[in-house]
Structure formats: structure tokens, C-alpha cells
Amino acid sequence: MTATNGITLRVTELKKYYGKIHAVDGVSFVIPSGSVFTILGPNGAGKTTTLEILEGIRVPDAGEIEVFGVRVKQIDREVKKRLGVLLQDGNFEPYLKVKEVVKLFASFFPAALSVEEVLRRVALQEKGSAYIRTLSGGQRQRLAVGVALVNDPDLIFLDEPTTGLDPQARRNMWSVITNLKEQRKTIILTTHYMEEAEALSDYVCIMDNGVIIAEGTPRELAARLGQETIIEFSAGSIDTEWLDQLSSFGKGVRKDGEIVYVETEDLVETMEQMLAWSREKRIPLKNMIVRQPNLEDVFLSLTGRKLRE
Amino acid sequence: MKGILRVAQAHLLTALREKITLFWFLIFPLFLLAILTLIFGNMGAEGEISFAIAVVNLETDTAGPVDFAGIIEGVFEQAGKPSEEGKEPLFVISSPASGEALEDFLTGEKKATRFGDRAAVIVIPEGFNQCLLLRVMGDGPSSGPDCSLMIYVNEGSAASGMATSIIDQILAGVERNILTSMGRFQEQQAIPTETLWIGSSGTEVLYVDFLLPGIVLMGFFVNGLFGVPGSILFARDKGVLRRYWVTPLTVTHYLAGFSVGHLMLCLVQFAILLLLGRFAFGATVTFCQPVSIFLLLLAAITFLAFGFFVASVAKTANTGMAIGNILNMPMMFLGGLFFPVAGLPLVLKAIVYVNPLTYLAKGLRVSLGTEVGTLSVSMIAVPLAWIAVCVAVASWRLSWDVER
């Protein structure tokens, strides 16, 4: 069940200050019901504080929160009955069993799914009698998701759900989130993985220094970079002088490790110049690919930093 | 309500499944109970302490009317035999080997006393019978070397001191019997005395009955001082509490559940200590009196509050453990849990007077009849005052990692 106006959460001018530090400085956004809304931002951008306010752990200094069609000053017990929260740094008592943990959290809500149903949803049926301390990282994260879903919530917070997981466990988590999308649950997601944000998000907002600097669908955000195309190749060690030469072929150039990115709005012209330059300088353009800009490029152009820095 | 009970259950299960918790909450108190009972449990029981002594009778003139030397030697020989109930004799008497000269035997026994192998050597000198007879009849000198029994003891030995005291009492009894039998002493003129044994039979207080309430309180104390801050600070530091705060569970609900779980843990601890105390160590106290039950509950709540206090002044679980250790020893040993705390220097007495353990231990023992005294208001008021202070400080300072 979601709000009747099709909006699950509306945040207006949300503020949270710690002395002179403006952790959240007037953040506003709207999350339509049944959508996946992703908040991106480097460390210290204010996304965790924003999330903690919306999860009910912190109290905002100013701003309005409208959740499920009701205006509240802060997230209270009544709202929490309809929230499901996967914390980034939360833990369980290591000496409890999986079933006991699910029962414990189920007891906090007036209505909850059965233990079996929760474990089925996160594929942990065979681990019901296992102690928490014996679970792998991926299994613990799945249990955390299960606990977040124990009350069959309408609004779900997933704070970096795949951080620290191996590729297989990450894929499993994506599958769980995709299932939630199919159930038309409203999800607020934070992640450090751009491909995750692109694959799962309906809307993305990018935060930096406590404010939102860009917002839209992944496609809309990528379009902010105009008609650009990215040419990537592996260069090994390369002189700064040569980078300056490359930059004259396109709109801009940057280097990250051994990878060189050349941005251009005229792909054919830039490619011809680069190939001639490669022959002349005897620099092979290894592993060269041509692609459209993605969220990482958008994030970089907006903040000057990579998301995982 | 359902949530509170589940939190209580989770706390109890976690505590009972954690090995380190089990050691401190159950194994350590039991270990202490066993050790102290074995060391001090038999003190004061009749015939359970025995002293190695030697009686060297150098008197050769036994033809007189009374062989006083023989009587004294016989009394000590009798004291060296096991009682009819099979209890250990008071003395283990060493005798000269067959054919061994008495002088050589005496030299050897003195040497054994010097090395602590004998508690005392009693020497009856030659001419003792004649001299003593003259003295009893009032015809001889009032004192003289021949009339004196010589008792060799080791000055640095506690056993020598205790044995000398017992030997003096036996000799006084022998002397009185001799004087009475010779008409020189009127029994009815003697100051009447009656010896009442404590710790031997009947209505006496066994040491284990004195100790068990102290061990139970110590269990509650350790449980509160280490278990409460350990659990709360670990849960806070590791983000366990955060998971609760994003649900409808409030801090108040959590505290209620945690407290119920803690009291259940104390109940389990108490039940195990009581059962083992009674069936393994022979304790007779039952803790069935309403006042005793009330004081046990008060103790558990007091130390729960103490735990909240420690959690509120410690920033991390490790700091909490360190603070607990600093408070643990002085409070435990200056609370009269294991030994009486009378006769301490003034500084230490101050700790005794403000220590809630002092009042709880005294109150519990008085209510159980294992200590002399009367119940007083302070036995409840002092712990209640501590609860008030601890809860006030904890409410003010304890961080739950959530804004309210």
C-alpha cells in the first residue's frame, strides 16, 4: 500500500547541521511509489545523514518530510511500522540463530511475515538453525535484507547492499532487489557501484557537500553530457605532453591508472587524428573501445571525483 | 510487549551461549565456592584439626603414691587416638623407636619442632612425681625446675601457637582433677563454665552457609558490572542497536527487554549456584524467606543499574571492561562477601560503608540466619540510593546511537 497521490516520499529543504558542518543543507526530492531512487555521492556528501534522518535514527534541524501522504517532523514509530531498512554498518548478535533473529525483528512489528516466508524470499531456508557467526558475508547480507522485509514494508532503504560482496553474491542481491521492484515496492538505494545504479535505478540524485547537484533518470543524467562519445584505451606510461596532444583531438582527456579517456563530439574526426598520432608516436591504442557516457562520467564531470574515491 | 519479551530472550540466549560469559557468570562463582569451602569449610569442626606433638616422659620414679607423669602422658596418648565417631584425633603423638634412648629421641623431636614438623614437644622431667606430690600436699617449694613441664614450641609456627593453647587447657584440666581427687579443690567452688561448639553439630552455622549468599551476590555483581556494559557497548559499537532503532522498537522497550533478560539470567545463575551449593557442598540455606527473595531481587536490580552506570561512562566495550575491573576487586572484597570486614583501616572502612554489597550481604545473611544481627533500613536504603544515582547518570550520559 502506498500513498494515494502516487508519491511515497517527498522531502523539502531538509537540513542537518553539526556545529559549522552542514551535513545536509537543504535537500529536496520526490520519490514516486514503486520506483527505485538511488542517491549517489562521494564520502562526506551527506547521503548517509539524509538516509539516517529518513530511517528515523537522526532528527532533522529543518525541513519537511511527507511520507505515505502524511507530513511529519521526524520519522516516528508509526512511520517505522511501514519501513524496511538495510543498514550499511548494522550487525546481529553473533550467538543468535538465523530463525531467532527473524523472530526477534518480527516481534517489533504489529504484523509480520512468517519466518519461513522471510527466509524463502532471501534464499536462506537451509540456514534457519545456523548461528549468525557461522554465516558468510553474503548470507549475512541476505539475512539483513530479509530482516528489512520482515514487516512487508512499503518503503525500503537499501544502504550499499552489495558493498563487500563477491560478484556472485552481488548478482544474488541484484536479483532480490529486482524482485522487490517487480512487487512495486518503493526503494531508496545508495551504492558505490555505477553499474548497479544504472541497472536498478529509476531515478538517481547526486549529492555533494550536503546538497543535490543533479537529479533525473540515468538516461537523463547521461544526456547532460550532450552528444559526447567516450574513447577508451590502455596506454601504460604516457607523457603529460602526449596527453595534451590527445586533448586537442577532442573535447577533453583524462587518465585513470593506465586507462585514457578521450571525450569527443565528432567521433570520426577524433578517431582519424588519434590513429595518425598512434602511428607517428608508435603508441599502440590497446583495448580501445568506443562507448556512450555513463553515470560514472556524469559523476566525474559534476564532482571532479570518481564515486569510489 | 511481544518485542520486550523477545529482546529479553535474545539477551538471555546470547549470554548463555557465549563461553566467556558462562565462565564469569557460572564457572567462576562455582570455582570460588569450591575453593573457599574446601579451604575454610572445615575450620572449627571438632577433631578435624590435628597437631603433631611428642611427649617425652623422663620420670623414672613411678613407685610413689601417685604417678602424675604417667597420668599426663596417658591423657595425651588418649588425645592421640581417633574418637568413637571416627573423627581425626586432636594430636598425632610421636614415640621413640624401640631401643632408642630418650635423650636421643628428645634431641630429634626438638629438631623436628625447629623445622616445623612438630607443633610442640612436652617434656616431663625426672623427679616430677615427687616434686608435684610435695607441692600438692603443701609441703614442697612453690616452684622449682623439677616440677615444671617443659614445652618446646616453634615461635614462628601458627600450629605451635594453637597447640600450646590446647596443651595449656588440657594440663589445667589435669591439674584440677588431681587437686580435686586429693581433696585440695572443691568442685562447687570453681567458676562454672560451659563450652559451646560452633560449627561442629546441631544448630551451628556452616561456613558454606555463610559463603553461599556471598557467592550468589558476587555472581549478580559480576553479571551486572561486566555483563551489562559489555552487552550494551558491544551491541552499540557493532551496530546491533542501530538495527533495532530503525524498527518501531524504542530505547525504552529495549531497556525493558534487556532488564528482564538480565534478571532471568540472574535467576538461572542463582538456581544453579543454589542447587550445587546444596547438593555438592552441603549448604542448608534455602533462600525461601520473603525478605531474602526481596533482597536478592534488590541486589540484581542494583547491579543492573551499576552496569548501566559503567556503560554510560565508558566510550567502548573495552573501556567498560577496564572500569569494571577497577571497581570489581575493592567492591567485592570490601563488601564482606567472603570474609567479615571488621577491623579494617579507616580508608578501607569508607569503601565498606558506601559499598552496596556490604548492606546486601549483611541483610541477606541476617535474613537467612547465617549472620548475627537485625535487619535495618540501611540494608535497603543504601542499594536504593545507588540505583537512583546510577539510573540518573545513565539517563544523562548513556549514548544509544540514536537521536530522540
Side-chain angles (χ1 to χ4, degrees):
Chain A
M1 187 177 66
T2 53
T4 49
N5 60 2
I7 302 296
T8 294
L9 181 67
R10 186 192 304 273
V11 173
T12 310
E13 285 296 305
L14 198 66
K15 292 179 181 175
K16 183 71 180 177
Y17 299 157
Y18 295 101
K20 291 180 179 175
I21 298 170
H22 294 193
V24 179
D25 198 11
V27 165
S28 302
F29 55 79
V30 174
I31 303 181
S33 302
S35 63
V36 177
F37 185 88
T38 299
I39 303 176
L40 298 178
N43 291 332
K47 59 184 193 303
T48 299
T49 308
T50 304
L51 243 59
E52 286 180 345
I53 292 170
L54 299 175
E55 291 162 353
I57 294 177
R58 309 255 166 249
V59 179
D61 293 328
E64 282 184 3
I65 302 169
E66 185 186 310
V67 59
F68 307 125
V70 179
R71 280 188 184 183
V72 292
K73 283 190 173 180
Q74 65 183 80
I75 301 300
D76 57 20
R77 276 193 84 203
E78 284 308 308
V79 175
K80 283 180 182 176
K81 288 175 184 172
R82 298 175 64 183
L83 300 185
V85 180
L86 171 69
L87 292 170
Q88 186 191 135
D89 54 356
N91 262 308
F92 298 112
E93 287 285 359
Y95 289 92
L96 290 181
K97 294 177 180 177
V98 169
K99 274 185 180 175
E100 290 167 350
V101 166
V102 177
K103 279 183 190 170
L104 173 67
F105 279 84
S107 71
F108 301 156
F109 296 93
L113 301 173
S114 68
V115 174
E116 290 71 26
E117 175 60 18
V118 170
L119 296 184
R120 189 192 63 74
R121 287 190 180 192
V122 291
L124 279 177
Q125 299 98 311
E126 292 174 6
K127 289 288 177 181
S129 298
Y131 285 106
I132 299 296
R133 66 179 191 276
T134 65
L135 299 181
S136 68
Q139 288 167 339
R140 283 187 198 205
Q141 193 69 335
R142 265 151 56 203
L143 173 63
V145 173
V147 164
L149 303 178
V150 74
N151 56 328
D152 198 18
D154 297 316
L155 175 57
I156 302 166
F157 294 84
L158 301 175
D159 194 359
E160 300 194 11
T162 58
T163 298
L165 299 186
D166 59 52
Q168 181 60 44
R170 186 175 299 165
R171 288 286 167 187
N172 290 340
M173 189 60 70
W174 283 23
S175 164
V176 171
I177 296 169
T178 305
N179 284 339
L180 291 171
K181 272 186 81 171
E182 287 169 1
Q183 292 171 45
R184 300 290 298 156
K185 299 288 184 187
T186 307
I187 298 170
I188 299 181
L189 174 74
T190 70
T191 180
H192 273 149
Y193 301 106
M194 279 302 170
E195 69 276 20
E196 192 167 285
E198 285 177 332
L200 300 172
S201 310
D202 295 311
Y203 300 93
V204 173
C205 84
I206 298 176
M207 283 187 76
D208 199 14
N209 294 319
V211 296
I212 292 176
I213 55 175
E215 189 179 352
T217 64
R219 190 179 291 270
E220 285 170 350
L221 287 173
R224 289 171 69 117
L225 293 179
Q227 299 302 311
E228 285 179 13
T229 302
I230 310 290
I231 305 167
E232 269 184 43
F233 67 95
S234 180
S237 60
I238 188 167
D239 291 346
T240 312
E241 181 192 344
W242 292 351
L243 281 178
D244 291 340
Q245 291 172 7
L246 277 172
S247 68
S248 66
F249 304 152
K251 198 178 166 188
V253 66
R254 58 190 163 90
K255 187 170 179 289
D256 181 19
E258 292 192 344
I259 308 294
V260 175
Y261 303 87
V262 180
E263 298 162 11
T264 179
E265 289 181 344
D266 187 343
L267 178 62
V268 175
E269 178 68 19
T270 304
M271 283 290 284
E272 283 176 352
Q273 289 176 329
M274 283 179 65
L275 290 171
W277 174 82
S278 171
R279 276 194 296 272
E280 183 191 333
K281 302 291 181 185
R282 296 187 177 278
I283 297 173
L285 303 175
K286 288 180 188 169
N287 307 320
M288 189 172 76
I289 57 170
V290 177
R291 62 171 175 82
Q292 292 303 301
N294 58 24
L295 276 177
E296 183 78 57
D297 302 308
V298 176
F299 190 83
L300 192 70
S301 73
L302 288 170
T303 66
R305 285 173 284 175
K306 290 184 76 177
L307 187 60
R308 293 180 65 79
E309 278 178 358
Chain B
M1 189 62 190
K2 195 171 54 172
I4 291 173
L5 292 178
R6 284 284 180 198
V7 170
Q9 183 193 35
H11 179 58
L12 185 65
L13 288 176
T14 302
L16 292 177
R17 285 171 183 167
E18 209 171 356
K19 284 177 187 161
I20 187 74
T21 314
L22 272 183
F23 174 79
W24 284 110
F25 294 173
L26 291 174
I27 309 298
F28 180 66
L30 284 173
F31 177 74
L32 208 57
L33 180 66
I35 289 289
L36 290 176
T37 306
L38 287 174
I39 293 174
F40 299 108
N42 291 331
M43 288 287 281
E46 185 182 17
E48 296 294 335
I49 302 171
S50 126
F51 301 97
I53 65 167
V55 180
V56 184
N57 187 358
L58 299 176
E59 177 60 284
T60 50
D61 179 13
T62 57
V66 185
D67 182 9
F68 296 114
I71 291 171
I72 291 170
E73 193 178 16
V75 166
F76 281 102
E77 274 178 12
Q78 192 61 38
K81 291 178 182 172
S83 69
E84 288 178 0
E85 295 84 31
K87 289 184 176 175
E88 287 291 308
L90 188 58
F91 295 116
V92 176
I93 312 283
S94 58
S95 312
S98 176
E100 186 181 11
L102 277 180
E103 292 299 330
D104 294 341
F105 174 65
L106 178 58
T107 306
E109 289 303 301
K110 283 180 182 173
K111 193 175 176 184
T113 306
R114 190 178 306 121
F115 287 105
D117 295 334
R118 298 285 180 273
V121 179
I122 303 165
V123 180
I124 306 170
E126 190 171 6
F128 179 77
N129 284 346
Q130 184 63 28
C131 177
L132 196 61
L133 182 64
L134 294 174
R135 275 189 65 191
V136 170
M137 299 307 291
D139 299 332
S142 61
S143 64
D146 289 342
C147 286
S148 295
L149 282 177
M150 281 168 285
I151 304 172
Y152 296 94
V153 295
N154 185 331
E155 194 178 15
S157 163
S160 279
M162 292 171 76
T164 308
S165 172
I166 295 168
I167 289 166
D168 282 345
Q169 286 181 41
I170 290 173
L171 290 175
V174 171
E175 187 180 22
R176 192 162 147 175
N177 283 335
I178 291 170
L179 290 170
T180 305
S181 64
M182 299 189 76
R184 311 288 290 191
F185 184 82
Q186 298 298 315
E187 188 72 48
Q188 61 272 24
Q189 293 171 356
I191 298 169
T193 59
E194 186 182 355
T195 303
L196 300 173
W197 286 95
I198 294 173
S200 57
S201 62
T203 58
E204 74 286 357
V205 174
L206 295 172
Y207 178 70
V208 69
D209 281 338
F210 173 85
L211 182 64
L212 189 57
I215 293 289
V216 168
L217 286 180
M218 187 209 73
F220 287 5
F221 179 61
V222 172
N223 205 348
L225 194 64
F226 293 104
V228 172
S231 300
I232 289 176
L233 295 175
F234 172 84
R236 190 184 70 191
D237 295 351
K238 296 292 179 187
V240 176
L241 291 183
R242 288 198 134 211
R243 286 209 187 275
Y244 295 151
W245 307 150
V246 295
T247 73
L249 187 80
T250 64
V251 171
T252 311
H253 286 140
Y254 172 77
L255 269 176
F258 184 91
S259 301
V260 171
H262 178 83
L263 295 180
M264 285 162 63
L265 185 62
C266 287
L267 183 65
V268 171
Q269 189 182 38
F270 168 71
I272 293 172
L273 286 174
L274 179 63
L275 288 174
L276 283 169
R278 283 181 70 87
F279 295 110
F281 298 98
T284 59
V285 284
T286 59
F287 296 90
C288 285
Q289 299 81 345
V291 178
S292 309
I293 294 168
F294 171 77
L295 285 169
L296 283 172
L297 186 63
L298 181 66
I301 294 171
T302 304
F303 303 132
L304 171 68
F306 231 88
F308 286 138
F309 169 79
V310 173
S312 69
V313 294
K315 285 188 177 174
T316 63
N318 284 341
T319 318
M321 294 300 104
I323 294 172
N325 272 317
I326 291 168
L327 294 173
N328 182 31
M329 288 301 167
M331 286 191 68
M332 202 154 69
F333 286 101
L334 296 175
L337 292 187
F338 314 124
F339 309 100
V341 287
L344 291 171
L346 195 62
V347 178
L348 295 181
K349 265 189 179 167
I351 299 175
V352 173
Y353 284 134
V354 298
N355 191 347
L357 275 168
T358 307
Y359 301 90
L360 289 164
K362 174 87 176 170
L364 192 57
R365 285 185 176 130
V366 168
S367 74
L368 293 170
T370 59
E371 191 170 328
V372 182
T374 52
L375 290 168
S376 67
V377 176
S378 65
M379 291 168 187
I380 295 169
V382 173
L384 282 177
W386 271 105
I387 291 173
V389 170
C390 289
V391 168
V393 173
S395 309
W396 168 48
R397 282 192 57 113
L398 189 49
S399 165
W400 292 101
D401 199 19
V402 63
E403 291 178 7
R404 290 180 284 168

